[in-house]
Amino acid sequence: MNSHKNNEKIIQLLSEMEPIHDESEEEKKKRLEMTANAIKNAEEEAPFAFAKRIAGGVCVALWAFAIVAMVFGFGELGVLLPFMLISLAVVCGLNIPDFWKKGKVMDVVVAIAACAACLIFAVGMIIAGSR
């Protein structure tokens, strides 16, 4: 998995690497380029990695709570489902910038559609449930 910690480990390994044989200019250039790319990847992903981890954890916790509530009968679907959909929309929305950076236009479109659909259904359920 390409995470901030993994990128930092790669940067550290690449900077500590000592060649087995004498490096040619081309090999040295490649090694420095790989280190620069790893640093760039670490800097680009750092702001979104923590937010994705938190949003994913909240989404999983909310879904697990809702499933347990439904199984044991102390939760109502009309109350829990909107919040489950909102948490799913947040997780979808946080993936949009990554898809855009990678040039995956169709994934961006699908993520935006999924995010919008989740939000529309959640708000609709909240409005309909309040009547």
Side-chain angles (χ1 to χ4, degrees), residues 1-2 11 31 55 70 78 86 96 104 110 112 114:
M1 188 165 125
N2 194 12
I11 292 168
R31 185 173 54 85
M70 295 299 159
I86 289 171
I96 293 170
K104 298 180 177 182
V110 170
I112 290 172

Side-chain angles (χ1 to χ4, degrees), residues 17 28 54:
M17 262 180 33
K28 185 175 181 179
I54 296 297

Side-chain angles (χ1 to χ4, degrees), residues 87-104:
S87 68
L88 188 60
V90 169
V91 172
C92 288
L94 284 172
N95 285 320
I96 293 170
D98 285 342
F99 291 148
W100 185 258
K101 283 181 191 174
K102 294 177 184 175
K104 298 180 177 182

Side-chain angles (χ1 to χ4, degrees), residues 14 22 24-25 35 42 48 51-53 59 62 67 76 86 106-107 111-112 119 122 128:
L14 287 173
D22 290 337
S24 67
E25 277 299 314
T35 305
F48 297 113
K52 281 184 192 178
R53 210 176 359 248
C59 186
L62 191 55
I67 290 170
E76 275 189 44
I86 289 171
M106 285 307 295
D107 288 345
I112 290 172
L119 288 176

Side-chain angles (χ1 to χ4, degrees), residues 1 17 25 37 51 55 59 61 68 72 75 83 94 98 105 118 122 125:
M1 188 165 125
M17 262 180 33
E25 277 299 314
N37 283 341
C59 186
V68 169
F72 292 110
F83 296 107
L94 284 172
D98 285 342
V105 178
C118 287
M125 290 179 78

